[in-house]
Amino acid sequence: MLIAGDISSVELTEACLRRIEATEPYLNAFISVSAERAMQQARSADHAWVEWRRGKLTQQPSRLNGIPLAIKDVLCVADITATAGSRMLEAFMPAYDATASARLRAAGAVFLGKTNTDEFAMGSSTENSCYGPTHNPWDQQRVPGGSSGGSAASVAAKSTFGALGTDTGGSVRQPASLCGVVGLKPSYGRISRFGLIAFGSSFDQVGTLTRTAEDAAILLQTLAGPDTFDATCVPTQPPNYLDSLSEPSDLSGLRIGIPNEHFVGGVDAEVEKQVRAAIKLLAKLGAEIMPIRLPRTEHALPAYYLIANAEASANLARYDGIRYGQRQHGKDLWETYVNTRKTGFGPEVKRRIMLGTYALTTGYYDDYYLRAQKVRTLVKQDFDTAFDQVDVIAGPTTPTTAFKLGAKTEDPLQMYLSDIFTLSANLAGIPGVSLPCGMDENRLPIGLQLLGPAFKEKRLLKVAHKFQLATDWHQQDPLVEN
Amino acid sequence: MTMNHQAVIGLEVHAELLTQSKMFCSCRVVDSTTANPNLYTCPVCSGMPGTLPVTNQRAVYLGAMVALALHCEVAAESIFARKNYFYPDLPKGYQISQYERPLATNGHITISTSAGKRKIRIRRVHLEEDTGKLIHRDKVSGAGSMSLVDLNRAGVPLLEIVSEPDIRSASEAVAYAKELQSILTYLKVNSGNMEKGVIRFEANVSVRKTRSEKLNTRTEIKNLNSFRSLRHSTQYEIDRQISILTAGKTVEQQTLGWDEAREVTVAQRSKEQAHDYRYFPEPDLPPVQIDPVWLQKIGDELPELPTEKLERFRSMGLNEYDAQVLVRQRSVAEFFEGAVDRGSKTDPPIQAKTISNWLTSQLFGMLHNARIEIEDMHITPAHLVDLLALLQSNSISANSAKQVMREMLETRATPQEIISEHELEQVNDVASITKAVEDVLRDHPEEVKSLLSGKDSLTNWLLGQVMRTLNGKANPQIVRSLLKKTLKREADTNNTR
């Protein structure tokens, strides 16, 4: 419609901004909304389409030109505050775009604002944000998941056409599942991490939250690819993620593995029922379903928390109040450090810094950090073995649907368990997608997680797309304003 | 040092690498002692949120080159690690360095000491980034004292070269450090300019009973920026430890600083306060992989190193001392070799030894007095050889040659131009010298008489008179031989009378 000029970016952007204004009092999905800049971007996007229709451009603008999007507040956008959900960076204004932001900007996308997140992406409910929790659009008494809870909630509430999130242990897929949207975490190295405020550097990956797998593919096409500013970003060019979506073929020949370890105790009966139904549907679409084993699943969680927190303890050392961010003066340098970090960080961040520091301390390094790295290798081997037999692995994204606000804040371990099925993909660096596959009796969304071998995003997106063509779970709307 | 104690010293040398850009970003590497503060920084080297390091390939290349020159084994795969500690000059709260798997290990160099040649083993060579600098201000407009942070230097590539504890005295430590400086400048990976802080030292010092194999508790002296402070601090520390041990006490393991003004080491941290750097592999950087073919190529392209050059210079007939003086600085050695090459092509050729003598005994002194670096002087190797050729062909006297050399330093003129301008051309014409000799002898009959009656010392006086008559331009050898001949004739005439 944008191409034909039937609707303008200005109209789309205005609609999104109105929707944000209407839903924010209930959701608190955004940390900052940049309405004026968004309108500017929308106007220049419209101008580009006009020029194109007049034949003045040699190349057609991107499909994203003029599309309003939201960006998680751990990703830098030049001249807009990047708080990472933390008091520490309350007024931090980066002078640079994250590579992901820059690529969307170059494609002509419109940036509506920065979405809420657990502080430094550390959390599974967006309750750890110092800017207040985000509420789930399906039930405002419940969490949207996290840490990309603001992005997931804003997409579910139709405040935006899509949003960027980041996924370190499930932070895109878990909130996507809880909010009933599509959450794609690409393989580690597929999208540049430059400008992503680091939490666990060897896990962090930029991901997308959208209503459909097709939208995820469009975003990934723009975001993926080599970047000279990120040495861990793979140097190979990404494939065309969109061409296979329009193929008429069904899922014949596709082998889908079902790991028993993802249906163990703790998984809600309703969740299991709907996910198994979804798998049946995939079989109906032509896929061959077979059981597989991921025997090291139970060890993934402790290994993940040791390594991610160890990395975090170093990544967050730069917030010392010397060059930017908040500073609380003390009588000497040491006290300034202590005061700055004591008031700048919230309790979960402090807990993780302490755990991570401990795991790296001389005398404990071998038993914790090093051993966790060995487990990580074993978890990877689990997946390698599984992918020798199957093309895709399917299961629930999370053990339960959205839980009540405050339900797990006093028990970090219970909170950590909500990522139990997602974080092993981050240990292995493989891609995963969560897509809506049903509702529980409270009309809360349930997510189906698909995992694939490294850099096989195209395969996952095709399966997800075929599934969405056959279902309408992604077309259900929450009723925010009641 | 008393006879029954022996020092055991290991040295860590931090050398900046002469790359265009920093270790992990594209910021220019500048002289951080003169550049405007914080002008050469970017989000990466100032540790802004979300930024990532990318390894400078040139730094890896230069590091591998040094490692090969130090006879090290270069690792096919080495990894970067984070060294965690808080300090305002460290923007990320960790320094990217190498820890468990360094760039290279197991090397050695040979140093010359008063006791002869000694081999000092090198434990490891690794890459890392430099920190920024703190500038302390005492009182700023009533605000009290403060420290300012300059990050121009933050992220500059550093190569850390760690020796085994093979060094046995303060002067050996200096000899080792100078040899490394010489190698680094030969490889053109470092300017060698100590005043700019581009090479810094840390010394680990302990003392043990002579002939004991046991290593005692060591102390670490940090931040040594000159050969002088290296020498004095290690000597001070050796003496301090010996007196502690002699008194029957034990040395405490600690980190020390060197107080330049008072010439004493001062305690900074004890063992209990020692940092736990919590090293772990840097997740933002893939391992450094070195292709054996690439490495082979670096090895093949290594320039001749100081020790090899020294041997070659000695084989040209130079003595050990002169050869060492010429070898120490690459620019000096290159000047000398340029001159030797040119000298070999003149007819008759000029010997390397002659060139060496004129450099070590004349030119270097003049440069020193004029405070000119050899790189900055106007004299070219070709002009020096031209001058020596004129001297060799007796066109000028040795004294004139020195005068010409001084002029050459001050002007850009060629030796020939200076000689013509000052009419320094030597008189070799026998007829005019003979006439001058005869005139002098005739004008000083008394002196001639004394001389003939045995007062030989007057020969030189008469020679001086002849030289003066000819404005100092006469060839002194011709003057001397003609004077002798004429005097002998005088004597014979007298005897026959």
Side-chain angles (χ1 to χ4, degrees), chain B residues 359-370:
Chain B
L359 287 178
T360 54
S361 60
Q362 300 298 331
L363 184 59
F364 292 166
M366 291 179 198
L367 285 172
H368 182 79
N369 290 338

Side-chain angles (χ1 to χ4, degrees), chain A residues 92 96 193-196 201 228-232 311 314-315 317-319 323-324 333 337 341 357 360-362 365 369, chain B residues 43 46-54 82 84 86-88 91-94 151 276 278-281 283-286:
Chain A
F92 173 67
Y96 45 94
R193 291 184 296 120
F194 183 83
L196 189 179
S201 307
T228 51
F229 290 104
D230 178 1
T232 64
E311 292 177 353
N315 284 332
R318 67 186 63 197
Y319 308 112
R323 297 166 312 287
Y324 51 78
L333 175 66
Y337 281 151
R341 291 169 69 82
T357 303
L360 291 173
T361 304
T362 305
Y365 180 85
Y369 180 82
Chain B
S46 56
M48 290 287 175
T51 58
L52 297 169
V54 178
R82 293 184 182 179
N84 297 286
F86 285 96
Y87 206 62
K92 299 187 295 295
Y94 56 84
L151 297 179
D276 181 351
R278 305 189 308 280
Y279 283 99
F280 73 100
D284 288 334
L285 291 170

Side-chain angles (χ1 to χ4, degrees), chain B residues 50-64:
Chain B
T51 58
L52 297 169
V54 178
T55 308
N56 182 335
Q57 293 304 312
R58 182 72 188 158
V60 175
Y61 178 92
L62 298 182

Side-chain angles (χ1 to χ4, degrees), chain A residues 18 31 58 101 151 167 251 343 468:
Chain A
R18 274 198 306 275
I31 289 176
T58 51
S101 315
S151 289
D167 191 315
L251 299 180
T343 54
Q468 291 198 312

Side-chain angles (χ1 to χ4, degrees), chain B residues 262-282:
Chain B
R262 293 191 299 139
E263 300 230 308
V264 293
T265 55
V266 280
Q268 288 183 335
R269 287 194 299 271
S270 69
K271 190 183 177 185
E272 289 72 35
Q273 297 164 303
H275 284 141
D276 181 351
Y277 291 118
R278 305 189 308 280
Y279 283 99
F280 73 100
E282 166 58 278

Side-chain angles (χ1 to χ4, degrees), chain A residues 11 26 61 68 110 117 142 163 176 197 216 218 240 244 253 326 339 354 367 400 412 470:
Chain A
E11 288 169 284
Y26 309 100
V110 173
T117 167
R142 292 175 188 269
I197 298 179
I218 293 171
N240 185 327
S244 64
Q326 70 130 12
N339 291 351
M354 283 188 282
D367 283 346
T400 68

Side-chain angles (χ1 to χ4, degrees), chain A residues 96-352:
Chain A
Y96 45 94
D97 270 338
T99 300
S101 315
R103 291 196 175 158
L104 293 181
R105 189 193 293 280
V110 173
F111 298 155
L112 295 167
K114 306 292 292 290
T115 56
N116 203 4
T117 167
D118 286 295
E119 187 175 3
F120 290 102
M122 294 176 180
S124 311
S125 68
T126 320
E127 289 167 293
N128 294 335
S129 167
C130 88
Y131 303 94
T134 293
H135 300 255
N136 193 312
W138 296 87
D139 177 351
Q140 287 156 37
Q141 302 307 306
R142 292 175 188 269
V143 303
S147 61
S148 309
S151 289
S154 64
V155 173
K158 291 192 166 176
S159 299
T160 175
F161 285 78
L164 292 189
T166 59
D167 191 315
T168 306
S171 279
V172 160
R173 291 159 289 157
Q174 187 258 17
S177 174
L178 269 48
C179 288
V181 299
V182 175
L184 170 70
K185 179 205 96 79
S187 312
Y188 186 76
R190 185 72 282 176
I191 300 176
S192 168
R193 291 184 296 120
F194 183 83
L196 189 179
I197 298 179
F199 158 21
S201 307
S202 69
F203 304 96
D204 293 343
Q205 184 58 207
V206 176
T208 61
L209 293 120
T210 52
R211 293 177 66 84
T212 66
E214 187 179 8
D215 287 352
I218 293 171
L219 282 174
L220 182 63
Q221 199 70 63
T222 298
L223 296 166
D227 180 20
T228 51
F229 290 104
D230 178 1
T232 64
C233 191
V234 291
T236 49
Q237 288 297 335
N240 185 327
Y241 295 112
L242 289 155
D243 57 8
S244 64
L245 299 189
S246 46
E247 283 170 11
S249 64
D250 62 5
L251 299 180
S252 299
L254 187 88
R255 298 164 300 169
I256 297 181
I258 311 301
N260 187 45
E261 293 82 358
H262 284 200
F263 290 91
V264 289
V267 176
D268 209 83
E270 196 88 18
V271 170
E272 176 163 359
K273 195 177 116 194
Q274 295 290 344
V275 169
R276 290 212 188 269
I279 292 166
K280 247 183 216 137
L281 178 62
L282 290 171
K284 225 174 91 186
L285 293 172
E288 184 189 343
I289 309 296
M290 56 178 75
I292 53 155
R293 292 207 55 214
L294 295 172
R296 276 80 170 231
T297 299
E298 60 171 321
H299 303 297
L301 184 119
Y304 166 80
Y305 276 97
L306 280 168
I307 301 168
N309 291 345
E311 292 177 353
S313 73
N315 284 332
L316 271 61
R318 67 186 63 197
Y319 308 112
D320 56 6
I322 301 290
R323 297 166 312 287
Y324 51 78
Q326 70 130 12
R327 180 195 297 178
Q328 300 289 332
H329 280 284
K331 67 177 186 321
D332 55 20
L333 175 66
W334 195 251
E335 205 182 272
T336 300
Y337 281 151
V338 171
N339 291 351
T340 298
R341 291 169 69 82
K342 196 156 70 181
T343 54
F345 291 140
E348 181 62 22
V349 171
K350 285 178 195 162
R351 175 161 37 239
R352 296 202 191 197

